[in-house]
Amino acid sequence: MSLIELPAEILLQIFDHVGLSYFRSDLSRLRVCKRWNGLAHIVCFREACITTKMLRRMASSPYAESSLREMEILDLNLEGFGTVRRGTVLDPKDSSWNYVPDQSSLQRRTMELNDDLVHLATIIKQSRKLRTLRIKAIKPSNPVFEIRETYLFPSTLRALLLSTNNLTALELDLYGTRPEPEGHPHHGDDGHVCPMIGALLPTLQRLRLRVRTICADALRPPRDFPGPLPLRVLLVDFVLTEELANEKSRFTARCGGPGRFVRLAQVVRGAVLSRARALLPHTSAPKMVRILTRTISGDEIQGINVLTGKNIKVRKGAEWDDDSEVMMD
């Protein structure tokens, strides 16, 4: 019996063992025959890692929809744009895609990015197999450029979260961006993403949030959900600006549309912590529940292990779900 005559489930196991990198390094390996292509295509596009630059190409690709139909894991690695600082002379050969010559180009690229993400949301809505969604928005560090922080609209995040209702893992790592200021046409009640996160709780086993603004609605499941929640890992990592970290009364953290939430950072954190504690009796087998705090420029992460009630410090450079933690008095 030749390889291609093996049962489909065995061929899929073989392709899984070979790995998607084998096919992606040379796409001609997909085209052995029609049956081979169909099964290899499932493995090749089971996991997708999409960058800001790739989104632009996907928007004009006729194959994007079919390629993402079998997707189970989606990683979005997004990066902001920047304009050149005054007095800076650039190398004419520098064609970095994320840096633009002027403010009008900056606004155009920002709109394009969000439009492309909304288009992606319509595509993944058709993917019934998507189980893991990771969105990471970073802020590049480069002294030559002035980086725009408000490059990801809350309404865009809302569209992505509404595009699927079968997620078992959600990770939002948004320390590199923040909501558009009030008055922006994309900012309003529809941009409040916290309830969208809470609506996904009935299927989530892992929820990891690293954000600048949040409210307790992110940990509030639908009222009509009977429970118990399958949530095993819950990590909320507050990223504070230096002003918020040093001042205890003047600065506020805003979440949602104008007038919806205005709270002191410490009050917001306390409300989220209370909601995390309230969730525990409604989860079937919680393994790790942490509420953490860090500053943008600092490496030290402190917080509370909600399962034990102990104050903790996570070691420098550790991943969010690293098991090592130091108990604090």
Side-chain angles (χ1 to χ4, degrees):
M1 178 183 291
S2 66
L3 180 63
I4 197 62
E5 293 176 322
L6 290 173
E9 59 272 16
I10 296 179
L11 269 178
L12 280 173
Q13 289 181 21
I14 294 173
F15 291 163
D16 273 330
H17 181 72
V18 171
L20 58 87
S21 59
Y22 171 79
F23 295 105
R24 290 185 180 179
S25 61
D26 184 356
L27 292 180
S28 66
R29 294 168 178 168
L30 293 170
R31 299 191 292 268
V32 173
C33 68
K34 185 175 181 179
R35 183 169 185 266
W36 177 287
N37 177 270
L39 296 174
H41 195 276
I42 293 174
V43 174
C44 185
F45 295 100
R46 182 172 288 165
E47 181 175 349
C49 183
I50 300 174
T51 64
T52 303
K53 190 172 182 178
M54 290 172 62
L55 272 170
R56 219 27 344 227
R57 296 199 298 265
M58 287 179 59
S60 59
S61 171
Y63 306 107
E65 187 169 338
S66 60
S67 298
L68 297 176
R69 190 169 297 155
E70 302 295 331
M71 178 177 56
E72 298 178 11
I73 300 173
L74 174 59
D75 280 299
L76 286 174
N77 292 318
L78 307 175
E79 190 174 8
F81 308 101
T83 54
V84 181
R85 295 186 185 276
R86 290 184 179 182
T88 303
V89 179
L90 291 179
D91 184 344
K93 297 181 180 179
D94 185 0
S95 58
S96 179
W97 192 84
N98 275 7
Y99 300 111
V100 293
D102 51 44
Q103 287 294 323
S104 62
S105 298
L106 183 66
Q107 293 175 0
R108 177 176 57 83
R109 285 286 175 84
T110 301
M111 290 297 296
E112 286 177 350
L113 169 63
N114 285 270
D115 288 344
D116 292 343
L117 286 170
V118 171
H119 176 65
L120 177 64
T122 63
I123 294 176
I124 63 179
K125 186 176 289 188
Q126 303 174 40
S127 175
R128 297 181 180 179
K129 296 183 178 182
L130 183 63
R131 294 295 181 269
T132 299
L133 175 61
R134 305 186 188 105
I135 304 176
K136 184 173 184 178
I138 67 171
K139 178 183 176 182
S141 178
N142 193 318
V144 176
F145 301 97
E146 294 180 359
I147 307 299
R148 180 187 179 96
E149 290 186 330
T150 55
Y151 64 88
L152 191 60
F153 302 150
S155 54
T156 301
L157 283 172
R158 186 176 185 271
L160 288 167
L161 293 176
L162 285 174
S163 65
T164 179
N165 55 9
N166 295 309
L167 289 181
T168 58
L170 174 64
E171 179 178 318
L172 298 181
D173 193 352
L174 307 179
Y175 73 93
T177 186
R178 56 185 173 85
E180 283 290 328
E182 290 184 29
H184 191 281
H186 286 77
H187 188 88
D189 288 349
D190 286 345
H192 187 204
V193 300
C194 292
M196 305 301 106
I197 299 172
L200 297 172
L201 285 172
T203 62
L204 290 179
Q205 298 176 23
R206 294 173 59 84
L207 176 60
R208 308 203 309 176
L209 305 172
R210 175 156 57 184
V211 294
R212 295 195 196 182
T213 57
I214 193 174
C215 73
D217 283 354
L219 303 184
R220 198 182 305 277
R223 292 183 179 180
D224 57 351
F225 179 69
L229 295 171
L231 200 62
R232 293 178 57 80
V233 175
L234 170 61
L235 297 170
V236 181
D237 188 356
F238 282 84
V239 181
L240 304 180
T241 62
E242 295 298 331
E243 292 86 357
L244 279 172
N246 295 328
E247 295 283 346
K248 294 185 178 180
S249 59
R250 296 182 182 178
F251 294 91
T252 61
R254 184 180 298 275
C255 184
R260 182 183 290 275
F261 288 96
V262 183
R263 296 284 190 271
L264 294 178
Q266 292 82 357
V267 175
V268 174
R269 184 177 180 276
V272 172
L273 177 58
S274 296
R275 278 304 310 158
R277 287 170 174 158
L279 276 181
L280 284 184
H282 304 285
T283 56
S284 55
K287 179 181 177 183
M288 179 181 295
V289 181
R290 292 175 177 172
I291 306 299
L292 306 171
T293 304
R294 77 174 80 202
T295 58
I296 290 179
S297 60
D299 293 320
E300 186 177 84
I301 307 173
Q302 297 184 6
I304 296 177
N305 182 330
V306 181
L307 293 177
T308 63
K310 300 290 187 179
N311 293 326
I312 60 171
K313 181 168 66 175
V314 180
R315 65 182 178 84
K316 182 177 179 180
E319 291 293 328
W320 296 2
D321 53 1
D322 193 290
D323 287 333
S324 63
E325 56 185 39
V326 178
M327 299 297 176
M328 300 174 63
D329 295 332

